Amino acid sequence: MPLYRKLEALKLARSNYKGKALGVVPTMGALHLGHLSLIAKAKRESEAVWVTIFVNPTQFEKKDDLDKYPESLTADVASVHEIGADINIFAPTATDMYPEGLAAKKQTLDGLDTLMEGADRSGHFDGVITIIAKLFEILQPHLAYFGEKDFQQLQVIKKWAKDQHILTKIIPCPVVREANGLAMSSRNAQLSPKDRKEAGFIYEAMLQCKNKSLDKPAIYTIIKKTFSAHPNFDLLYVLCAEEDSLKEVHDLVSANKPRLFISVSVTGVRLIDNVALK
Ligand code: AMP
């Protein structure tokens, strides 16, 4: 399977795919079944697929978070190979991606980037858009696949793509979960086996909210009460927000596509999840 580490080799290879419907799946590696579901979907829907693997330094605001981020390129290549021997992988170096130095370009995202994850992680979405813009520029994909697991990221990318008249179609993909309901994430490997098992309560509580009521205060109470029984898990925020604007909804009954968003810290590992409430 073609693995490209150098930008020049990648550009040459890309030129062989002129006229083909090309799908791209941007990732930071340490691939799990969530990533693989995006890659399989891209394979079904595109004539050629590129998976990018790059732990993007400019979207990490804390150096120790970046340093701790898992990497497993050999295993990742094998996992992608199982889906298709013809899938291309681009795993560049930071120097190739940021020849001008590690800096994110400031974006105008109408506040979508400053709430929830953006409130706690200043500049995070500037870093995300900076790397996606670079990857799109290099690969010129027709389709790009992003997981609803990172729902805010998906909305930020959609907004940027629309505002910048990007021709690539952004395709949302459903959240893939572990057997206990925990949303799959490369960060889950940093949890102790006990915390990882216990973490199933997060999705259970979210489902309870989805099934029980469209009453925002009741939902916040259920979530806070559930977390108080799991003292290892810090609830960073819980928010019922409208899907497109990501603004907090007042009345869930009349709200347009409301979702429940949660962010959690467990022994310094940050987890996020969301479910549609209607
Ligand atoms: P990451 O490597 O964490 O940057 O993720 C790369 C892509 O995979 C992003 O579009 C994520 O939203 C998506 N992704 C990560 N985990 C999951 C999951 N559990 N289910 C669906 N998509 C996911």
Side-chain angles (χ1 to χ4, degrees):
M1 175 173 26
L3 166 65
Y4 299 92
R5 306 298 317 259
K6 287 277 161 214
L7 193 51
E8 284 316 311
L10 176 278
K11 282 185 180 163
L12 197 63
R14 172 64 183 92
S15 65
N16 294 327
Y17 287 91
K18 279 203 182 98
K20 294 230 165 145
L22 193 145
V24 69
V25 183
T27 81
M28 297 205 295
L31 300 183
H32 50 67
L33 293 176
H35 297 113
L36 300 184
S37 72
L38 271 58
I39 298 168
K41 187 168 162 64
K43 172 106 177 97
R44 289 194 299 275
E45 298 176 356
S46 326
E47 288 178 280
V49 178
W50 290 80
V51 175
T52 68
I53 298 180
F54 180 63
V55 182
N56 175 34
T58 65
Q59 70 188 69
F60 288 80
E61 70 294 2
K62 291 191 194 129
K63 192 176 172 306
D64 70 316
D65 193 22
L66 173 63
D67 291 344
K68 268 195 317 202
Y69 203 85
E71 284 185 56
S72 54
L73 186 59
T74 309
D76 291 350
V77 171
S79 304
V80 176
H81 198 172
E82 285 203 8
I83 297 178
D86 55 344
I87 298 175
N88 300 285
I89 298 183
F90 178 42
T93 61
T95 320
D96 263 359
M97 293 312 289
Y98 289 96
E100 71 287 9
L102 284 179
K105 198 167 161 208
K106 182 86 197 97
Q107 307 290 327
T108 308
L109 295 159
D110 248 6
L112 281 186
D113 56 330
T114 51
L115 34 84
M116 294 198 282
E117 289 306 289
D120 285 352
R121 308 177 65 187
S122 162
H124 169 67
F125 290 110
D126 289 337
V128 170
I129 297 297
T130 300
I131 192 65
I132 294 297
K134 285 172 184 277
L135 292 171
F136 279 18
E137 177 66 30
I138 297 164
L139 286 165
Q140 301 283 321
H142 301 82
L143 306 164
Y145 295 81
F146 294 94
E148 289 185 341
K149 142 95 176 21
D150 300 282
F151 201 89
Q152 183 177 12
Q153 170 174 280
L154 171 67
Q155 296 305 74
V156 163
I157 291 170
K158 275 200 212 158
K159 159 98 184 121
W160 162 78
K162 185 164 176 256
D163 289 355
Q164 300 302 316
H165 310 290
I166 302 289
L167 296 177
T168 306
K169 189 168 173 209
I170 308 298
I171 317 270
C173 305
V175 182
V176 177
R177 299 179 178 282
E178 300 193 355
N180 66 353
L182 175 65
M184 285 195 181
S185 164
S186 306
R187 293 177 192 273
N188 292 356
Q190 297 172 26
L191 299 175
S192 71
K194 180 182 163 292
D195 286 343
R196 190 163 178 166
K197 195 163 165 229
E198 187 178 342
F201 85 87
I202 301 169
Y203 184 55
E204 257 171 49
M206 294 178 93
L207 282 185
Q208 207 185 326
C209 296
K210 180 184 168 83
N211 296 333
K212 264 218 170 117
S213 68
L214 278 176
D215 173 351
K216 192 176 68 172
I219 286 178
Y220 290 172
T221 304
I222 291 174
I223 296 295
K224 285 176 187 160
K225 209 169 146 208
T226 309
F227 270 80
S228 64
H230 298 272
N232 246 8
F233 291 69
D234 278 340
L235 179 62
L236 300 175
Y237 60 75
V238 51
L239 195 74
C240 295
E242 197 259 341
E243 217 176 271
D244 293 325
S245 69
L246 300 180
K247 292 218 171 86
E248 183 168 24
V249 296
H250 297 291
D251 174 25
L252 280 172
V253 177
S254 62
N256 183 27
K257 295 188 279 177
R259 268 185 185 258
L260 175 60
F261 294 89
I262 278 192
S263 183
V264 181
S265 171
V266 197
T267 55
V269 181
R270 195 176 178 104
L271 306 175
I272 52 171
D273 204 347
N274 70 92
V275 289
L277 286 169
K278 275 190 197 166

